Amino acid sequence: MPSWLILVIIGVVLLVLGFGGVGQFLIWIGLAVLVVSLVLALAGRRRV
């Protein structure tokens, strides 16, 4: 399972449980990891 998906799932669970600040932070970190991995994948694909 990708790390960004794990972070987003944990963030959503924490939001539901009432830990809004921590949950929202983990969701944003997970989305940032997703965007960075997509950019790196596209950059690697263009190089070939």
Side-chain angles (χ1 to χ4, degrees):
M1 188 177 289
S3 61
W4 64 269
L5 185 58
I6 293 171
L7 287 171
V8 170
I9 290 173
I10 292 172
V12 168
V13 169
L14 287 174
L15 278 175
V16 170
L17 292 177
F19 297 99
V22 178
Q24 189 175 10
F25 178 73
L26 286 178
I27 290 173
W28 282 110
I29 294 294
L31 292 177
V33 170
L34 170 64
V35 169
V36 168
S37 64
L38 287 175
V39 167
L40 290 176
L42 289 175
R45 191 175 283 184
R46 287 184 181 218
R47 188 177 293 176
V48 175

